[in-house]
Amino acid sequence: MTEEIWYLKQCDLFRRLSAEQIARLEPGCRSRRFRRGEPVYLPDDAAEWGMVLAEGRVKIGSSTDDGKQTILAFIEPGELFGELDALDGEPRQEFAEAAEKSHVVLLPAGALLDLIGSDASLAAGVTKLIGLRRRRIERRLKSLLFRSNRQRLVSLLTELAQQYGQPSVDPPGVRLAIKLSHQDIASLIGSTRETVTIILGELQNEGLLSIGRRRLVLTDLAALARAADGPIAAAPPTAEVL
């Protein structure tokens, strides 16, 4: 078994593949390693591959004409990504970038399409995955439209706590086991780095979280969750971070 196939078998979608199905995929599989900040693919690239993240973390996003970025999702090890464009044969719509040092297994689009067409359970799994990601993006869009910057940030923190939260002793609370810069957070909620810095400072002063170097501990998760559903407040003014 090649390294690519071993990693592929760690993906929930492909774990139940038969030996015959694996044999059909194996000849075309490739793998690539990416440095932190290196693009995995860019908008308008030909979508020749579906991808499985073997190690690291990848962020999916889009950019405006003036260079502003919005992060749509983070991909974790064992997840399939880039599959939708590969299956419909259209050029890439978003960008994918290594959020940290990453190892990606590449699956030929044609072989992936043939496999999905011949395996109903795999087709259902891919459809479910696409639906889950779509709902997540739709929830974030509604948050952008109807909530203040503070509410969007608080909602994001509680969402990240569900996915990446780990117990913290000093200070006590829930530590987010994902390193995000203030710019990353701003790109996730459609705000600015300066505004994010101000709101995080306010939340820390209120005893709801503790801030370290690219580390966040939510010290009162219950109160933070209630704040996400509170009345919409005016967005705080932006200011330069010293």
Side-chain angles (χ1 to χ4, degrees):
M1 182 184 296
T2 64
E3 179 186 47
E4 290 83 6
I5 295 301
W6 187 89
Y7 281 118
L8 202 62
K9 294 284 284 183
Q10 309 313 303
C11 176
D12 286 341
L13 282 172
F14 300 107
R15 192 165 290 161
R16 297 185 180 88
L17 292 183
S18 67
E20 180 184 353
Q21 290 171 317
I22 288 291
R24 288 161 55 190
L25 272 182
E26 188 167 11
C29 284
R30 303 288 184 269
S31 66
R32 284 194 59 190
R33 298 181 184 273
F34 297 89
R35 300 183 302 274
R36 181 176 181 272
E38 186 177 0
V40 178
Y41 56 76
L42 295 170
D44 297 324
D45 281 356
E48 299 173 341
W49 310 90
M51 304 180 183
V52 171
L53 182 61
E55 297 173 338
R57 180 174 291 122
V58 168
K59 62 182 179 183
I60 308 295
S62 61
S63 300
T64 61
D65 292 338
D66 57 1
K68 293 181 180 179
Q69 290 189 355
T70 298
I71 298 176
L72 302 174
F74 284 101
I75 305 299
E76 302 298 325
E79 287 190 50
L80 177 71
F81 68 102
E83 75 290 338
L84 189 57
D85 294 328
L87 294 177
D88 67 17
E90 295 295 324
R92 300 291 185 190
Q93 300 297 307
E94 295 93 21
F95 69 82
E97 179 183 302
E100 56 188 61
K101 185 178 178 181
S102 298
H103 180 191
V104 176
V105 176
L106 310 177
L107 311 175
L112 181 59
L113 184 60
D114 290 344
L115 184 59
I116 291 174
S118 64
D119 190 311
S121 63
L122 181 59
V126 171
T127 300
K128 181 179 179 181
L129 174 67
I130 293 171
L132 288 172
R133 287 182 181 158
R134 179 177 177 178
R135 284 197 295 272
R136 188 179 303 167
I137 292 172
E138 287 175 347
R139 285 198 303 269
R140 189 162 295 157
L141 178 59
K142 290 179 182 177
S143 180
L144 291 176
L145 291 174
F146 302 115
R147 290 182 167 184
S148 67
N149 282 313
R150 178 184 170 99
Q151 286 180 310
R152 297 202 299 268
L153 176 53
V154 168
S155 180
L156 173 67
L157 293 176
T158 56
E159 178 184 326
L160 292 174
Q162 293 175 0
Q163 188 172 3
Y164 300 104
Q166 295 181 352
S168 173
V169 177
D170 184 22
V174 178
R175 180 177 67 86
L176 300 185
I178 179 173
K179 294 181 179 180
L180 296 174
S181 68
H182 289 192
Q183 184 58 58
D184 287 335
I185 296 173
S187 297
L188 281 162
I189 67 170
S191 187
T192 65
R193 177 181 60 84
E194 295 82 4
T195 298
V196 165
T197 299
I198 289 172
I199 299 174
L200 287 175
E202 292 174 351
L203 295 172
Q204 180 168 240
N205 291 338
E206 295 166 20
L208 299 177
L209 54 80
S210 174
I211 305 172
R213 181 172 177 80
R214 300 193 72 176
R215 172 195 62 89
L216 282 175
V217 175
L218 311 183
T219 52
D220 194 338
L221 185 56
L224 201 63
R226 290 193 298 271
D229 296 320
I232 297 178
T238 60
E240 285 296 331
V241 180
L242 298 180

